[in-house]
């Protein structure tokens, strides 16, 4: 099957609450792919609760037989110097569908949502070794850590808790 045929048979739609267990499974697949430990800090129940409370939103890529083969998770954020920003949290396509254009469809659909929300900038993180770096660059993304000399910091759970409860 050609790339165009695969693309045409996949529907990109907003995730429904019933999709969230399968999306959570794909999150675990993504963690495995990027070689992060599978000891997620949240469980499926929390993930589903966060989705129902709109802590994040999600698109899914669905085949005609109902299988979910990818997802993009996103939320709106804010910059004091750029205004409303759009954060692409995850973009994942299952291995057997990679290279078929599904990732591009998910990415563009998700970015259009950010535009509809009035966001001026989209932000996302990609591991340095991940071949997806080239995918994003082809779509016009720039590496701000190179352009603007930014360092990205994180307070991980232990240090976050320690800081907040000392």
């Amino acid at each position: 099957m050609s790339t165009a045929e695969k693309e045409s048979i996949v529907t990109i739609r907003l995730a429904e609450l019933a999709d969230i267990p399968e999306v959570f499974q794909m999150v675990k697949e993504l963690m495995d792919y990027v070689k992060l430990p599978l000891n997620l800090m949240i469980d499926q129940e929390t993930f589903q609760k966060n989705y129902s409370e709109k802590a994040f939103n999600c698109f899914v890529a669905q085949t005609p037989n109902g299988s979910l083969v990818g997802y993009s998770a996103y939320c709106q954020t804010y910059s004091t110097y750029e205004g409303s920003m759009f954060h692409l949290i995850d973009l994942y396509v299952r291995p057997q569908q990679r290279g078929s254009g599904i990732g591009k469809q998910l990415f563009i659909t998700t970015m259009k949502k950010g535009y509809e929300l009035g966001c001026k900038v989209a932000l996302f993180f990609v591991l340095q070794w991940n071949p997806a770096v080239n995918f994003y660059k082809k779509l016009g993304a720039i590496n701000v850590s190179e352009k603007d000399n930014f360092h990205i910091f994180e307070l991980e759970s232990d240090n976050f808790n320690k800081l907040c409860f000392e």
Side-chain angles (χ1 to χ4, degrees):
M1 185 177 297
S2 73
T3 299
E5 290 171 319
K6 283 184 182 178
E7 274 188 45
S8 67
I9 62 170
V10 174
T11 301
I12 307 296
R13 62 170 177 78
L14 282 170
E16 299 169 1
L17 197 53
D19 298 321
I20 297 305
E22 185 68 16
V23 171
F24 189 72
Q25 177 58 41
M26 287 189 279
V27 168
K28 293 193 286 188
E29 292 170 22
L30 175 60
M31 295 300 103
D32 186 49
Y33 174 73
V34 298
K35 299 169 181 55
L36 291 176
L38 284 178
N39 56 342
L40 296 173
M41 295 176 71
I42 63 171
D43 57 21
Q44 182 177 318
E45 182 180 325
T46 304
F47 188 74
Q48 195 153 346
K49 181 177 182 274
N50 293 159
Y51 186 75
S52 67
E53 293 172 345
K54 299 292 183 198
F56 71 99
N57 287 296
C58 188
F59 284 104
V60 292
Q62 183 177 31
T63 63
N65 71 3
S67 297
L68 300 184
V69 296
Y71 77 96
S72 61
Y74 63 91
C75 64
Q76 195 168 352
T77 186
Y78 192 81
S79 165
T80 55
Y81 59 93
E82 293 179 301
S84 289
M85 294 178 67
F86 195 71
H87 182 129
L88 174 65
I89 303 164
D90 290 341
L91 178 76
Y92 178 74
V93 175
R94 288 192 155 139
Q96 58 274 27
Q97 272 76 32
R98 291 187 190 145
S100 66
I102 295 169
K104 184 177 180 181
Q105 284 182 274
L106 275 167
F107 185 76
I108 291 171
T109 300
T110 308
M111 291 302 113
K112 285 180 178 178
K113 183 63 177 179
Y115 183 83
E116 289 171 11
L117 292 170
C119 298
K120 306 293 183 217
V121 176
L123 174 69
F124 48 95
F125 304 99
V126 184
L127 291 168
Q128 291 177 348
W129 61 263
N130 192 332
V133 166
N134 295 322
F135 166 80
Y136 293 117
K137 284 182 177 180
K138 285 179 188 173
L139 294 171
I142 58 168
N143 183 340
V144 295
S145 60
E146 294 170 357
K147 175 185 158 267
D148 295 332
N149 284 329
F150 274 102
H151 290 279
I152 299 170
F153 290 90
E154 175 181 74
L155 276 174
E156 293 183 342
S157 182
D158 290 345
N159 289 331
F160 186 71
N161 290 335
K162 182 179 174 184
L163 182 69
C164 292
F165 296 104
E166 278 192 336

